[in-house]
């Protein structure tokens, strides 16, 4: 990659780069030490500032968007840690989505990768049937020991697959009822996102979310036939599919209730849905509706931190929940950096009697999951996780709490590989158990 021959104005390559956003960077370098890929390599080109420099160089015709450029874009986890420390308000996540999408269109991957992406993004993620078939395949592989047999052939990918969680029993994979009625005096009603992967692998979390919200006086409404919000598509440059899934999400949720708050228990989905307004800004039919929809999205911890919710929740929580402490909270990137939600989960955990919470060093740094990054780049993903596993061990925590299926899974893999005995729970599971202890 050469950046010789500086020309300050964007050229034909602007279609590849969000040039206007790249101009916001003032090169201060405050983001460098927060960046996991910079920490791994010490290389400026693998830092946020370096990547922005590369993007601008491409847009201004000083650099060819060659394989080296594409590799730096793919190496980024889009964890957005750089965004949350940036004094200039650079919207790095949006820039990266734009660049990845343009690269996919202008430099399509080979036939095998194209087929894999078509299966994953078109046939599995947005289809309940496709998701169930994929989970059935995983279950068969686990039951028949095929994954164990294939692991040595798949190298690191195989060793990671060996630590995938057992597909939960069918009883944990049932969808939410249309309405989970409010307990006691009804305060309000909310919609919940069940999501694509969540019902198949973390259905128990969705049910814990519905139970805990209803316990605080909310009618909890699920959205029939909705599957996928499109977050993983956007994260991986499949922007046209992401836009279509956003429109479908808006239509389906609004058909149930066009004004209720939308509670999301998966940080990556919540961060994405909040930004539907930006995603569909150029769609005259949906732009205003998408912005209004995004403004109704709240994280689960935000909903329960509202004063009325907290007042109802606090007296329900009891010791005797069986959760081994001390616990520690690990911030999902798309919750703390993507949505600015930092204090609420900690404060909710601190309400639980008999549970000591310890702060883990670098709790807000990326665990390496990053959507499907851990599948596409298992070595880099585990390298990013390695220091966090050390921080977890040093914290002395006996239980780790988080709020995103990808992070949850990544921790299970890392903890399993290290032979540590630290269960991983979603925040909703902790609160649900503490409520159950009093019943
Ligand atoms: S999004 Fe994360 S990995 Fe990518 S440049 Fe920013 S801090 Fe680094
Ligand atoms: S913190 Fe923001 S302005 Fe400073 S170098 Fe990083 S992206 Fe640029």
């Amino acid at each position: 990659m050469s950046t010789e021959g500086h020309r300050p104005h964007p050229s034909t390559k602007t279609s590849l780069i969000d040039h206007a956003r790249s101009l916001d960077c003032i090169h201060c370098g405050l983001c460098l030490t927060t960046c996991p890929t910079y920490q791994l390599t010490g290389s400026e080109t693998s830092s946020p500032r370096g990547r922005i420099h590369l993007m601008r160089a491409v847009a201004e015709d000083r650099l060819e968007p060659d394989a080296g450029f594409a590799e730096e874009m793919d190496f980024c986890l889009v964890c957005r840690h750089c965004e949350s420390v940036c004094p200039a308000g650079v919207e790095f996540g949006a820039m990266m989505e734009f660049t990845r999408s343009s690269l996919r269109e202008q430099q399509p991957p080979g036939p095998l990768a194209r087929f894999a992406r078509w299966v994953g993004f078109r046939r599995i993620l947005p289809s309940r049937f496709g998701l169930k078939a994929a989970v059935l395949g995983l279950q068969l592989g686990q039951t028949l020991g095929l994954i164990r047999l294939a692991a040595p052939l798949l190298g690191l990918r195989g060793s990671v697959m060996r630590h995938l969680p057992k597909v939960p029993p069918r009883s944990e994979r049932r969808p939410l009822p249309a309405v989970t009625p409010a307990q006691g005096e009804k305060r309000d009603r909310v919609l919940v996102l069940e999501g694509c992967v969540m019902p198949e692998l973390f259905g128990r979390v969705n049910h814990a979310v519905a139970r805990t919200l209803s316990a605080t006086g909310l009618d909890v409404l699920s959205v029939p036939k909705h599957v996928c919000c499109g977050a993983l598509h956007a994260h991986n440059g499949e922007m046209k599919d992401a836009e279509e899934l956003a429109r479908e999400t808006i239509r389906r949720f609004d058909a149930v209730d066009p004004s209720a708050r939308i509670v999301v228990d998966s940080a990556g989905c919540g961060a994405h849905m909040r930004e539907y307004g930006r995603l569909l800004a150029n769609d005259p039919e949906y732009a205003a509706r998408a912005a209004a929809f995004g403004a109704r999205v709240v994280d689960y911890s935000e909903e329960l931190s509202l004063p009325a919710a907290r007042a109802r929740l606090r007296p329900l929580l009891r010791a005797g929940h069986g959760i081994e402490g001390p616990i520690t909270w690990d911030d999902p990137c798309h919750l703390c950096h993507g949505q600015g939600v930092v204090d609420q989960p900690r404060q909710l955990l601190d309400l639980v009697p008999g549970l000591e919470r310890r702060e883990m060093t670098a709790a807000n740094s990326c665990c390496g999951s990053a959507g499907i990054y851990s599948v596409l780049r298992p070595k880099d993903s585990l390298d990013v996780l390695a220091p966090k596993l050390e921080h977890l061990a040093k914290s002395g925590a006996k239980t780790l709490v988080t709020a995103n299926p990808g992070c949850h899974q990544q921790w299970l893999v890392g903890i399993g590989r290290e032979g540590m005995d630290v269960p991983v729970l979603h925040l909703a599971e902790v609160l649900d158990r503490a409520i159950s202890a009093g019943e």
Side-chain angles (χ1 to χ4, degrees):
M1 290 182 291
S2 160
T3 59
E4 295 303 308
H6 174 72
R7 272 185 278 152
H9 297 297
S11 71
T12 51
K13 303 279 174 35
T14 47
S15 61
L16 192 61
I17 302 296
D18 191 340
H19 186 260
R21 276 198 173 90
S22 76
L23 296 176
D24 291 339
C25 177
I26 54 173
H27 318 295
C28 65
L30 284 175
C31 54
L32 263 64
T33 52
T34 66
C35 175
T37 55
Y38 180 75
Q39 286 169 9
L40 281 182
T41 62
S43 162
E44 172 78 16
T45 53
S46 300
S47 76
R49 183 174 66 184
R51 291 191 173 106
I52 292 169
H53 180 74
L54 293 178
M55 289 181 198
R56 281 184 62 175
V58 166
E60 293 165 5
D61 248 356
R62 292 178 282 117
L63 176 72
E64 279 305 309
D66 57 12
F69 174 79
E71 163 61 15
E72 275 308 342
M73 299 303 117
D74 284 343
F75 188 23
C76 171
L77 296 124
V78 201
C79 67
R80 299 173 64 178
H81 201 157
C82 46
E83 257 187 66
S84 66
V85 298
C86 176
V90 171
E91 295 179 79
F92 191 85
M95 286 175 63
M96 189 54 79
E97 282 178 3
F98 188 97
T99 301
R100 284 184 173 175
S101 172
S102 311
L103 279 172
R104 296 278 171 266
E105 280 176 19
Q106 297 186 21
Q107 300 172 10
L112 200 60
R114 265 208 314 276
F115 178 70
R117 291 179 75 89
W118 177 80
V119 171
F121 289 120
R122 292 262 171 95
R123 289 289 169 261
I124 294 181
L125 283 174
S127 155
R128 186 56 60 206
F129 175 79
L131 283 158
K132 286 199 177 300
V135 168
L136 184 64
L138 175 63
Q139 192 172 29
L140 272 177
Q142 288 177 334
T143 309
L144 301 176
L146 299 178
I147 289 178
R148 218 176 35 253
L149 287 175
L153 305 174
L154 294 169
L156 187 55
R157 238 178 222 118
S159 101
V160 168
M161 283 176 73
R162 272 197 296 195
H163 292 281
L164 287 175
K166 281 232 165 307
V167 173
R170 192 181 289 269
S171 60
E172 279 189 24
R173 286 186 276 140
R174 65 193 197 289
L176 290 178
V179 182
T180 306
Q183 306 293 304
E185 189 187 342
K186 179 181 160 185
R187 292 188 294 118
D188 204 347
R189 66 190 216 153
V190 292
L191 299 166
V192 284
L193 173 82
E194 287 189 79
C196 51
V197 175
M198 287 292 286
E200 305 305 329
L201 293 178
F202 296 98
R204 65 180 187 278
V205 171
N206 281 347
H207 284 272
V209 164
R211 279 194 296 270
T212 48
L213 292 174
S214 71
T216 69
L218 294 170
D219 273 349
V220 181
L221 280 57
S222 63
V223 179
K225 297 199 176 143
H226 179 261
V227 179
C228 180
C229 69
L232 284 175
H233 298 75
H235 209 64
N236 290 281
E238 301 285 346
M239 296 311 285
K240 288 202 175 109
D241 287 353
E243 287 172 15
E244 200 38 60
L245 287 166
R247 290 185 195 98
E248 187 188 341
T249 300
I250 293 168
R251 283 195 300 271
R252 289 200 184 279
F253 275 69
D254 283 359
V256 178
D257 188 321
S259 60
R261 290 187 300 283
I262 297 155
V263 178
V264 181
D265 61 15
S266 165
C269 304
H272 178 65
M273 291 165 70
R274 279 184 131 121
E275 294 181 358
Y276 274 180
R278 172 175 62 76
L279 184 69
L280 298 179
N282 295 324
D283 179 335
E285 192 189 336
Y286 272 87
R289 200 172 160 190
F293 182 94
R296 287 159 52 207
V297 174
V298 292
D299 181 65
Y300 168 75
S301 65
E302 289 180 290
E303 180 63 35
L304 283 182
S305 295
L306 294 173
R310 194 183 287 232
R312 291 280 289 268
L313 178 67
R314 186 195 292 264
L316 299 174
L317 301 171
R318 295 276 191 278
H321 36 64
I323 298 165
E324 194 175 359
I327 59 165
T328 195
W329 167 256
D330 186 57
D331 296 278
C333 292
H334 285 223
L335 192 57
C336 64
H337 307 308
Q339 302 182 61
V341 175
V342 175
D343 296 334
Q344 295 91 328
R346 290 174 169 81
Q347 289 166 356
L348 289 169
L349 288 170
D350 290 344
L351 291 179
V352 179
L355 207 52
E356 179 199 347
R357 180 177 64 81
R358 285 193 191 160
E359 199 60 37
M360 177 172 60
T361 301
N364 68 349
S365 67
C366 184
C367 66
S369 164
I372 57 171
Y373 189 94
S374 54
V375 178
L376 299 176
R377 305 180 70 111
K379 179 176 182 317
D380 293 333
S381 165
L382 290 173
D383 286 348
V384 170
L385 179 63
K388 296 205 53 133
L389 285 164
E390 286 174 24
H391 296 320
L392 173 63
K394 280 194 191 127
S395 76
K398 296 280 193 293
T399 302
L400 184 133
V401 188
T402 189
N404 188 59
C407 309
H408 201 130
Q409 180 53 37
Q410 176 80 342
W411 277 108
L412 287 175
V413 169
I415 286 169
R417 283 169 60 88
E418 291 296 313
M420 296 165 77
D421 183 18
V422 180
V424 182
L425 294 175
H426 189 284
L427 171 65
E429 293 179 283
V430 175
L431 299 178
D432 189 40
R433 289 192 199 181
I435 292 174
S436 301
E439 289 170 350

